[in-house]
Amino acid sequence: QVQLTESGGGSVQTGGSLRLSCAASAYPGSNNCMGWFRQAPGKEREWVALIRTSGNFASYVDSVKGRFTISRDSASTTVFLQMNSLKPEDTATYYCAVTPFPYGSRCSKEAMNYNYWGQGTQVTVSS
């Protein structure tokens, strides 16, 4: 089965940077969507960013545009989330996820449509 291993979380001050990594044992399909989600205590899981494993199209939630960058390494089947200019509101547990999608389909921003998940990595931003 597909396994996702996350790393890179930690504690930083406002304005700092972190780079999250999510290594997949394999991609489930020839065409996939990989996404980053985050969840703070008492809040619903929120979509943050996504990228296709075929091509490099990426999309971001408005609150992180210009600060976060999602990327991938095809050789290692790893997805990254470079987080710059971090704010206390970014504090959450971050999860990566992947799901196969038919060619030509739009990648989903809904967590319910992703069927493989990492265990999460904690990001804490202090003021």
Side-chain angles (χ1 to χ4, degrees):
Q1 61 180 354
V2 175
Q3 293 182 312
L4 304 178
T5 303
E6 299 172 326
S7 62
S11 298
V12 298
Q13 296 181 339
T14 298
S17 298
L18 286 172
R19 190 191 193 199
L20 306 184
S21 299
C22 177
S25 60
Y27 290 142
S30 57
N31 296 289
N32 310 271
C33 296
M34 294 195 70
W36 283 98
F37 298 79
R38 65 187 181 187
Q39 187 167 23
K43 297 184 178 180
E44 295 183 350
R45 188 164 297 186
E46 174 191 28
W47 167 75
V48 177
L50 64 84
I51 192 169
R52 305 183 193 278
T53 60
S54 178
N56 291 305
F57 174 81
S59 186
Y60 305 87
V61 68
D62 286 345
S63 62
V64 308
K65 288 181 179 177
R67 299 190 297 120
F68 290 11
T69 302
I70 188 171
S71 61
R72 61 180 177 85
D73 182 340
S74 297
S76 62
T77 59
T78 301
V79 64
F80 305 96
L81 186 67
Q82 178 66 46
M83 305 185 294
N84 298 326
S85 302
L86 284 163
K87 306 174 181 179
E89 65 191 61
D90 296 317
T91 295
T93 300
Y94 284 70
Y95 302 88
C96 66
V98 63
T99 191
F101 269 63
Y103 177 79
S105 296
R106 180 181 298 176
C107 284
S108 176
K109 302 174 183 179
E110 298 293 330
M112 63 178 290
N113 291 325
Y114 289 77
N115 51 7
Y116 298 97
W117 290 83
Q119 295 301 306
T121 185
Q122 179 66 39
V123 171
T124 302
V125 185
S126 62
S127 59

